[in-house]
mmCIF file of all heavy atoms in Angstrom:
data_model
loop_
_atom_site.group_PDB
_atom_site.id
_atom_site.type_symbol
_atom_site.label_atom_id
_atom_site.label_comp_id
_atom_site.label_asym_id
_atom_site.label_seq_id
_atom_site.Cartn_x
_atom_site.Cartn_y
_atom_site.Cartn_z
ATOM 1 N N TYR J 35 6.396 2.621 3.639
ATOM 2 C CA TYR J 35 6.603 1.674 2.555
ATOM 3 C C TYR J 35 7.454 2.341 1.473
ATOM 4 O O TYR J 35 7.445 3.557 1.317
ATOM 5 C CB TYR J 35 5.270 1.285 1.904
ATOM 6 C CG TYR J 35 4.307 0.544 2.785
ATOM 7 C CD1 TYR J 35 3.264 1.206 3.430
ATOM 8 C CD2 TYR J 35 4.405 -0.834 2.938
ATOM 9 C CE1 TYR J 35 2.354 0.512 4.216
ATOM 10 C CE2 TYR J 35 3.502 -1.531 3.727
ATOM 11 C CZ TYR J 35 2.481 -0.849 4.362
ATOM 12 O OH TYR J 35 1.580 -1.545 5.141
ATOM 13 N N GLN J 37 7.953 1.851 -2.838
ATOM 14 C CA GLN J 37 7.386 1.235 -4.031
ATOM 15 C C GLN J 37 8.353 1.417 -5.173
ATOM 16 O O GLN J 37 8.587 2.528 -5.627
ATOM 17 C CB GLN J 37 6.022 1.853 -4.371
ATOM 18 C CG GLN J 37 5.323 1.149 -5.521
ATOM 19 C CD GLN J 37 3.960 1.746 -5.833
ATOM 20 O OE1 GLN J 37 3.795 2.959 -5.849
ATOM 21 N NE2 GLN J 37 2.972 0.889 -6.066
ATOM 22 N N TYR J 48 7.460 0.155 10.903
ATOM 23 C CA TYR J 48 6.133 0.473 11.357
ATOM 24 C C TYR J 48 6.156 0.788 12.845
ATOM 25 O O TYR J 48 7.142 0.519 13.540
ATOM 26 C CB TYR J 48 5.137 -0.635 11.024
ATOM 27 C CG TYR J 48 5.345 -1.926 11.786
ATOM 28 C CD1 TYR J 48 4.548 -2.241 12.883
ATOM 29 C CD2 TYR J 48 6.298 -2.851 11.374
ATOM 30 C CE1 TYR J 48 4.717 -3.435 13.572
ATOM 31 C CE2 TYR J 48 6.485 -4.042 12.054
ATOM 32 C CZ TYR J 48 5.682 -4.339 13.140
ATOM 33 O OH TYR J 48 5.855 -5.515 13.821
ATOM 34 N N ARG J 98 -4.939 -4.749 11.940
ATOM 35 C CA ARG J 98 -5.626 -5.463 10.860
ATOM 36 C C ARG J 98 -6.838 -4.661 10.404
ATOM 37 O O ARG J 98 -7.921 -5.207 10.195
ATOM 38 C CB ARG J 98 -5.998 -6.868 11.339
ATOM 39 C CG ARG J 98 -4.737 -7.675 11.570
ATOM 40 C CD ARG J 98 -4.963 -9.011 12.189
ATOM 41 N NE ARG J 98 -3.662 -9.680 12.380
ATOM 42 C CZ ARG J 98 -3.526 -10.885 12.881
ATOM 43 N NH1 ARG J 98 -4.573 -11.576 13.233
ATOM 44 N NH2 ARG J 98 -2.324 -11.401 13.033
ATOM 45 N N GLN J 99 -6.603 -3.380 10.235
ATOM 46 C CA GLN J 99 -7.621 -2.450 9.759
ATOM 47 C C GLN J 99 -7.170 -1.807 8.453
ATOM 48 O O GLN J 99 -5.967 -1.773 8.172
ATOM 49 C CB GLN J 99 -7.862 -1.360 10.815
ATOM 50 C CG GLN J 99 -8.430 -1.884 12.121
ATOM 51 C CD GLN J 99 -9.828 -2.417 11.942
ATOM 52 O OE1 GLN J 99 -10.670 -1.782 11.318
ATOM 53 N NE2 GLN J 99 -10.083 -3.593 12.486
ATOM 54 N N PRO J 100 -8.113 -1.288 7.662
ATOM 55 C CA PRO J 100 -7.716 -0.617 6.408
ATOM 56 C C PRO J 100 -6.712 0.493 6.675
ATOM 57 O O PRO J 100 -6.826 1.220 7.667
ATOM 58 C CB PRO J 100 -9.039 -0.067 5.883
ATOM 59 C CG PRO J 100 -10.080 -0.942 6.483
ATOM 60 C CD PRO J 100 -9.561 -1.325 7.837
ATOM 61 N N GLN J 101 -5.743 0.617 5.785
ATOM 62 C CA GLN J 101 -4.725 1.631 5.932
ATOM 63 C C GLN J 101 -5.069 2.846 5.070
ATOM 64 O O GLN J 101 -5.590 2.720 3.965
ATOM 65 C CB GLN J 101 -3.364 1.057 5.534
ATOM 66 C CG GLN J 101 -2.920 -0.048 6.474
ATOM 67 C CD GLN J 101 -1.526 -0.548 6.181
ATOM 68 O OE1 GLN J 101 -0.801 -0.010 5.360
ATOM 69 N NE2 GLN J 101 -1.127 -1.599 6.880
ATOM 70 N N HIS F 33 -6.660 -7.180 1.799
ATOM 71 C CA HIS F 33 -6.944 -5.763 1.561
ATOM 72 C C HIS F 33 -6.860 -5.503 0.057
ATOM 73 O O HIS F 33 -5.870 -5.880 -0.585
ATOM 74 C CB HIS F 33 -5.862 -4.954 2.287
ATOM 75 C CG HIS F 33 -6.203 -3.545 2.587
ATOM 76 N ND1 HIS F 33 -5.356 -2.721 3.295
ATOM 77 C CD2 HIS F 33 -7.275 -2.795 2.288
ATOM 78 C CE1 HIS F 33 -5.908 -1.528 3.422
ATOM 79 N NE2 HIS F 33 -7.072 -1.548 2.812
ATOM 80 N N GLN F 37 -4.695 2.345 -6.771
ATOM 81 C CA GLN F 37 -3.683 3.386 -6.924
ATOM 82 C C GLN F 37 -3.982 4.179 -8.182
ATOM 83 O O GLN F 37 -3.967 3.659 -9.294
ATOM 84 C CB GLN F 37 -2.274 2.812 -6.989
ATOM 85 C CG GLN F 37 -1.188 3.890 -7.015
ATOM 86 C CD GLN F 37 0.204 3.350 -6.747
ATOM 87 O OE1 GLN F 37 0.477 2.173 -6.960
ATOM 88 N NE2 GLN F 37 1.088 4.209 -6.274
ATOM 89 N N GLY F 41 -0.722 8.490 -8.500
ATOM 90 C CA GLY F 41 0.083 7.824 -7.484
ATOM 91 C C GLY F 41 -0.600 7.605 -6.151
ATOM 92 O O GLY F 41 -0.145 6.769 -5.370
ATOM 93 N N MET F 48 -11.490 -4.363 2.981
ATOM 94 C CA MET F 48 -10.747 -5.280 3.836
ATOM 95 C C MET F 48 -11.699 -6.424 4.117
ATOM 96 O O MET F 48 -12.831 -6.191 4.547
ATOM 97 C CB MET F 48 -10.333 -4.611 5.138
ATOM 98 C CG MET F 48 -9.618 -5.527 6.089
ATOM 99 S SD MET F 48 -7.881 -5.592 5.746
ATOM 100 C CE MET F 48 -7.336 -4.149 6.615
ATOM 101 N N GLY F 94 1.735 -13.315 11.213
ATOM 102 C CA GLY F 94 2.425 -12.027 11.217
ATOM 103 C C GLY F 94 1.490 -10.874 11.503
ATOM 104 O O GLY F 94 0.304 -11.065 11.801
ATOM 105 N N ASN F 95 2.058 -9.678 11.453
ATOM 106 C CA ASN F 95 1.256 -8.481 11.697
ATOM 107 C C ASN F 95 1.548 -7.389 10.687
ATOM 108 O O ASN F 95 1.350 -6.204 10.976
ATOM 109 C CB ASN F 95 1.489 -7.976 13.126
ATOM 110 C CG ASN F 95 2.967 -7.750 13.394
ATOM 111 O OD1 ASN F 95 3.787 -7.828 12.492
ATOM 112 N ND2 ASN F 95 3.303 -7.465 14.631
ATOM 113 N N PHE F 97 1.318 -6.331 6.310
ATOM 114 C CA PHE F 97 0.760 -6.660 5.008
ATOM 115 C C PHE F 97 1.876 -7.024 4.025
ATOM 116 O O PHE F 97 2.952 -6.433 4.036
ATOM 117 C CB PHE F 97 -0.007 -5.468 4.440
ATOM 118 C CG PHE F 97 -1.403 -5.342 4.967
ATOM 119 C CD1 PHE F 97 -1.704 -4.418 5.946
ATOM 120 C CD2 PHE F 97 -2.420 -6.138 4.466
ATOM 121 C CE1 PHE F 97 -3.000 -4.298 6.427
ATOM 122 C CE2 PHE F 97 -3.711 -6.024 4.940
ATOM 123 C CZ PHE F 97 -4.010 -5.096 5.927
ATOM 124 N N PHE F 99 2.230 -7.242 -0.156
ATOM 125 C CA PHE F 99 1.500 -6.680 -1.285
ATOM 126 C C PHE F 99 1.810 -7.406 -2.590
ATOM 127 O O PHE F 99 2.957 -7.806 -2.833
ATOM 128 C CB PHE F 99 1.873 -5.207 -1.460
ATOM 129 C CG PHE F 99 1.384 -4.323 -0.353
ATOM 130 C CD1 PHE F 99 2.029 -4.282 0.868
ATOM 131 C CD2 PHE F 99 0.255 -3.527 -0.535
ATOM 132 C CE1 PHE F 99 1.575 -3.470 1.898
ATOM 133 C CE2 PHE F 99 -0.198 -2.706 0.483
ATOM 134 C CZ PHE F 99 0.460 -2.683 1.698
#
Side-chain angles (χ1 to χ4, degrees):
Chain J
Y35 296 98
Q37 186 179 42
Y48 68 101
R98 293 173 181 181
Q99 296 293 314
Q101 295 185 7
Chain F
H33 201 177
Q37 185 166 24
M48 177 86 83
N95 55 8
F97 278 102
F99 292 78

